[in-house]
């Protein structure tokens, strides 16, 4: 990543836009050459299969944001040649931006988009500094911001946005200043958790380090597809995904509508669902062979989804969520309420399992519309960015320094100038900091005639480090303008370097070079 021009935030913000997870599907439909976007969101999802032969469109591009997270490679969706995750995200944001700009122009004709609009983007809590810088670059390329370093664009995590949204419900649960509550944001891909404390003047503080895992609602869909693969054979499913991916997409839609969403976990509520392959996925028949084909012929190409089977799709996913909640409550046993938010939290079965496991010791609440909690909270944060007072650092931060090599240092690390490159700690992970707290260190030139200093800034998931090339160490960026000041409490890292000789001050944030 490289430093980018710092630009103060919009002072005359008349419109706040929250961009995050909602019911808008992260799907793009390109033309045959993958040059232009034909449709996006819900319109890009596959419709009901047609029995008429016709030219099929290329496979839609979906769930591309998963490429930015620390997701196992096997779970990342395959992208067509020439389509990078950054390209897909940029194209998606550009299409979204067209709608946003048209709507603002329709409602407020006197609003200048680049001067009067503040944009708040929510990201999973597991996103790294590099990932946020990639998102900033994508938003710039999508023309949602005019200058890449503008602070009119700000980030917050999805659970933090949800925590802000849930502040309005604290009184009805008897919570007052000093009370702590746990946000469990159950999305499609990730589940993110954060514990927040209500501070005076209706402010929020973070009390434990955020946690997350890949156990959102889409993993229930994956379990369904795995079950189907066992019934029709792996080769048949592989061919279907390769040649008729739209029908796979349609099957998942139908599974969600008819089975996943209505499932309550109560056997008395459940009626075995007949999955008719000829209606739901006619193309699949021609790929099924051998004993699987013979068995399905006998059953008229119908697969029964009974209670035990469907429950088995949910349980491994929900068990992971329960473990995440349990681990957070161990860190903060005096939490008063668990709030379930996000699209998957609308699942009655998930709600029941969470209540059965934890309600004997803590309240469990679900907002009226949990799916909008994140994006609504993003807008509320944009209206008052001071609502969050403290955050817990997810990473350990520091800079590379070059002290003189000393006896006891590894000989192999001694350079030709008799120095050694080391990691100098500035802020340690899991430390609670005020969002405006500045961490400063004074650095001196190595050589008398040196006119500039290059600050190489690193972060790591470890608590301590000695060298900048250790495992899990990540390079954040270089700043060359020598008082170095960094602010880690914000959702992005902001740097200030002061030349104490001439008084010049340099400010920057960072952007990916990719």
């Amino acid at each position: 990543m490289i430093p980018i021009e710092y630009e103060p935030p919009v002072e005359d913000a008349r419109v706040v836009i929250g961009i995050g997870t909602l019911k808008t599907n992260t799907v793009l439909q390109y033309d045959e050459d993958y040059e232009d976007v034909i449709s996006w969101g819900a319109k890009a999802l596959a419709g009901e299969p047609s029995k008429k032969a016709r030219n099929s469109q290329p496979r839609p591009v979906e769930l591309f944001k998963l490429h930015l997270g620390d997701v196992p490679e096997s779970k990342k969706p395959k992208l067509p040649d020439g389509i990078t995750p950054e390209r897909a995200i940029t194209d998606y944001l550009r299409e979204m931006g067209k709608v946003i700009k048209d709507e603002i122009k329709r409602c407020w004709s006197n609003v200048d988009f680049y001067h009067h609009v503040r944009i708040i983007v929510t990201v999973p809590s597991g996103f790294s500094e590099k990932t946020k810088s990639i998102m900033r670059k994508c938003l710039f390329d999508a023309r949602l911001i005019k200058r890449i370093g503008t602070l009119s664009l700000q980030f917050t995590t999805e659970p933090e946005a949800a925590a802000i949204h849930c502040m309005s419900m604290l009184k009805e649960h008897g919570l007052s200043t000093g009370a702590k509550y746990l946000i469990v944001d159950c999305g499609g891909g990730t589940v993110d958790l954060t514990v927040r404390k209500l501070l005076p003047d209706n402010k929020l503080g973070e009390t434990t380090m955020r946690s997350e895992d890949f156990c959102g609602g889409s993993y229930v869909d994956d379990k369904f597809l795995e079950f189907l693969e066992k019934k029709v054979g792996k080769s048949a499913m592989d061919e279907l995904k390769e040649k008729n991916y739209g029908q796979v997409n349609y099957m998942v839609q139908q599974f969600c509508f008819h089975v996943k969403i209505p499932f309550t976990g109560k056997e008395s509520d459940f009626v075995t669902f007949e999955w008719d392959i000829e209606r739901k996925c006619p193309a699949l028949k021609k790929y099924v062979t051998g004993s699987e084909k013979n068995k399905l012929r006998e059953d008229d190409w119908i697969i029964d989804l009974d209670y035990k089977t469907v429950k088995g799709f949910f349980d491994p996913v929900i068990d992971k969520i329960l473990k995440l909640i349990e681990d957070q409550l161990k860190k903060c046993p005096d939490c008063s309420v668990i709030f379930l938010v996000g699209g998957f939290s609308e699942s009655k079965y998930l709600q029941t399992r969470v209540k059965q496991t934890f309600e004997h010791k803590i309240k469990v609440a679900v907002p009226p519309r949990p799916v909008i909690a994140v994006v609504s909270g993003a807008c509320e944060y944009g209206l008052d960015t001071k609502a969050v007072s403290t955050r817990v650092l997810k990473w350990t931060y520091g800079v590379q320094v070059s002290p003189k090599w000393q006896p006891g240092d590894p000989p192999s690390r001694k350079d030709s100038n008799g120095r050694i490159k080391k990691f100098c700690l500035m802020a340690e992970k899991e430390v609670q900091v005020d969002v405006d707290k500045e961490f400063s260190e004074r650095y001196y030139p190595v050589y008398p005639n040196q006119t500039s200093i290059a600050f190489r800034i690193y972060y790591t998931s470890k608590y301590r480090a000695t060298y900048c090339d250790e495992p899990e160490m990540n390079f954040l960026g270089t700043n060359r303008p020598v008082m170095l000041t960094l602010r880690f409490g914000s959702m992005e890292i902001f740097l200030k370097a002061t030349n104490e000789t001439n008084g010049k001050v340099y400010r920057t944030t960072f952007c990916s070079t990719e």
Side-chain angles (χ1 to χ4, degrees):
M1 288 183 286
I2 57 174
I4 56 178
E5 180 187 358
Y6 169 97
E7 182 185 271
V10 169
E11 295 296 337
D12 183 21
R14 304 179 189 178
V15 179
V16 173
I17 297 170
I19 297 178
T21 304
L22 195 54
K23 285 295 187 182
T24 306
N25 307 82
T26 50
V27 186
L28 290 167
Q29 180 64 65
Y30 288 91
D31 60 18
E32 292 182 5
D33 299 321
Y34 288 100
E35 291 290 335
D36 298 315
V37 175
I38 297 174
S39 57
W40 69 288
K43 291 183 178 179
L45 292 172
E48 186 174 356
S50 172
K51 294 182 179 180
K52 294 182 179 179
R54 57 184 177 184
N55 294 330
S56 59
Q57 292 178 323
R59 175 175 175 164
V61 179
E62 60 180 341
L63 301 175
F64 32 82
K65 193 175 78 170
L66 291 178
H67 282 266
L68 298 187
D70 189 19
V71 186
E73 288 297 322
S74 61
K75 294 297 183 182
K76 293 180 180 178
K78 183 180 178 182
L79 298 178
D81 293 339
I83 300 292
T84 63
E86 293 83 0
R87 159 85 187 278
I89 291 169
T90 300
D91 287 345
Y92 184 83
L93 289 170
R94 186 181 296 113
E95 297 301 315
M96 180 185 289
K98 292 175 184 177
V99 176
I100 291 172
K101 290 175 182 178
D102 287 346
E103 189 66 11
I104 289 177
K105 186 177 181 180
R106 184 183 69 83
C107 296
W108 305 286
S109 59
N110 62 335
V111 167
D112 183 322
F113 187 83
Y114 295 117
H115 290 92
H116 298 144
V117 174
R118 179 177 294 152
I119 299 175
I120 307 296
V121 176
T122 64
V123 295
S125 60
F127 268 21
S128 67
E129 302 300 335
K130 178 181 178 181
T131 304
K132 283 179 277 190
S133 76
I134 292 172
M135 286 293 294
R136 178 172 280 274
K137 178 70 163 53
C138 291
L139 285 149
F140 173 75
D141 291 340
R143 299 180 182 177
L144 279 166
I145 53 175
K146 194 172 184 178
R147 294 182 178 83
I148 199 166
T150 178
L151 295 188
S152 296
L153 163 65
Q154 295 193 31
F155 292 91
T156 183
T157 65
E158 290 167 357
E160 179 171 89
I164 294 170
H165 175 72
C166 290
M167 284 175 69
S168 61
M169 291 171 274
L170 298 183
K171 285 185 179 179
E172 66 185 74
H173 292 284
L175 272 63
S176 56
T177 300
K180 300 174 185 177
Y181 59 101
L182 172 62
I183 294 292
V184 184
D185 176 24
C186 305
T190 60
V191 174
D192 300 274
L193 295 85
T194 182
V195 175
R196 299 289 161 149
K197 181 178 181 179
L198 185 61
L199 303 176
D201 300 322
N202 221 30
K203 306 294 184 185
L204 280 183
E206 189 172 27
T207 61
T208 65
M209 194 171 77
R210 302 177 293 276
S211 59
E212 70 285 323
D213 200 356
F214 298 99
C215 48
S218 65
Y219 288 86
V220 178
D221 308 340
D222 290 346
K223 295 294 181 183
F224 160 67
L225 292 176
E226 290 171 11
F227 165 80
L228 195 61
E229 183 177 290
K230 291 177 182 177
K231 294 292 185 180
V232 303
K234 186 178 187 303
S235 61
M237 282 298 290
D238 288 345
E239 279 200 81
L240 181 70
K241 291 176 182 178
E242 182 66 30
K243 299 175 182 178
N244 301 89
Y245 187 78
Q247 292 196 25
V248 178
N249 199 317
Y250 179 75
M251 278 201 302
V252 172
Q253 292 177 52
Q254 292 298 297
F255 166 73
C256 292
F257 183 77
H258 293 290
V259 181
K260 177 181 167 183
I261 294 173
F263 188 72
T264 65
K266 296 179 181 178
E267 192 166 5
S268 58
D269 294 340
F270 190 84
V271 177
T272 297
F273 189 85
E274 293 187 348
W275 192 263
D276 190 334
I277 291 177
E278 289 185 319
R279 293 183 59 190
K280 305 293 185 188
C281 189
L284 182 57
K285 288 180 63 177
K286 61 186 175 185
Y287 304 128
V288 183
T289 60
S291 58
E292 290 90 354
K293 185 173 184 177
N294 294 333
K295 178 68 169 66
L296 287 167
R297 272 180 173 173
E298 291 177 8
D299 296 334
D300 295 325
W301 294 95
I302 290 175
I303 298 173
D304 285 340
L305 297 178
D306 59 26
Y307 171 78
K308 184 178 179 181
T309 298
V310 174
K311 186 174 180 291
F313 299 156
F314 280 85
D315 284 341
V317 180
I318 293 178
D319 287 344
K320 281 190 173 184
I321 297 173
L322 298 179
K323 181 65 167 58
L324 286 171
I325 296 173
E326 180 182 357
D327 290 344
Q328 279 287 353
L329 292 178
K330 284 180 181 177
K331 296 177 185 177
C332 189
D334 55 343
C335 272
S336 301
V337 182
I338 296 173
F339 285 104
L340 296 177
V341 301
F344 189 35
S345 67
E346 293 186 329
S347 165
K348 298 297 183 185
Y349 183 45
L350 172 60
Q351 294 176 18
T352 298
R353 288 286 307 276
V354 173
K355 289 177 179 178
Q356 287 175 344
T357 307
F358 300 106
E359 205 166 38
H360 66 283
K361 56 183 177 182
I362 185 173
K363 291 181 181 178
V364 178
V366 184
R369 297 182 65 194
V371 71
I372 70 163
V374 170
V375 71
S376 176
C379 290
E380 293 169 44
Y381 176 68
L383 292 170
D384 180 14
T385 56
K386 300 296 184 182
V388 179
S389 294
T390 67
R391 291 190 176 101
V392 174
L393 298 185
K394 188 174 178 64
W395 311 95
T396 293
Y397 297 92
V399 296
Q400 182 177 278
V401 295
S402 298
K404 289 182 178 180
W405 185 90
Q406 301 291 335
D409 288 334
S412 61
R413 290 184 176 271
K414 185 177 182 180
D415 65 20
S416 58
N417 297 312
R419 293 184 174 273
I420 181 171
K421 292 182 171 62
K422 288 189 173 183
F423 177 77
C424 179
L425 176 72
M426 290 193 75
E428 191 176 38
K429 69 179 286 188
E430 291 198 30
V431 172
Q432 186 183 79
V433 299
D434 293 339
V435 294
D436 293 327
K437 180 177 174 58
E438 295 182 341
F439 293 78
S440 300
E441 290 287 343
R442 181 175 284 105
Y443 296 98
Y444 296 91
V446 175
Y447 310 107
N449 60 347
Q450 188 171 337
T451 59
S452 66
I453 294 179
F455 294 111
R456 294 181 62 84
I457 303 160
Y458 290 84
Y459 65 98
T460 175
S461 58
K462 296 181 178 179
Y463 291 92
R464 299 277 175 170
T466 304
Y467 305 106
C468 296
D469 58 358
E470 294 181 12
E472 300 181 46
M473 185 69 73
N474 300 279
F475 175 56
L476 178 61
T478 302
N479 183 264
R480 183 186 293 271
V482 168
M483 177 68 76
L484 179 66
T485 301
L486 290 107
R487 199 169 78 226
F488 301 109
S490 302
M491 285 305 301
E492 292 180 282
I493 307 304
F494 295 100
L495 178 148
K496 179 175 71 175
T498 305
N499 185 324
E500 294 188 309
T501 301
N502 59 24
K504 287 187 176 180
V505 177
Y506 305 83
R507 290 183 174 89
T508 187
T509 182
F510 295 91
C511 177
S512 172
T513 58
E514 299 177 10

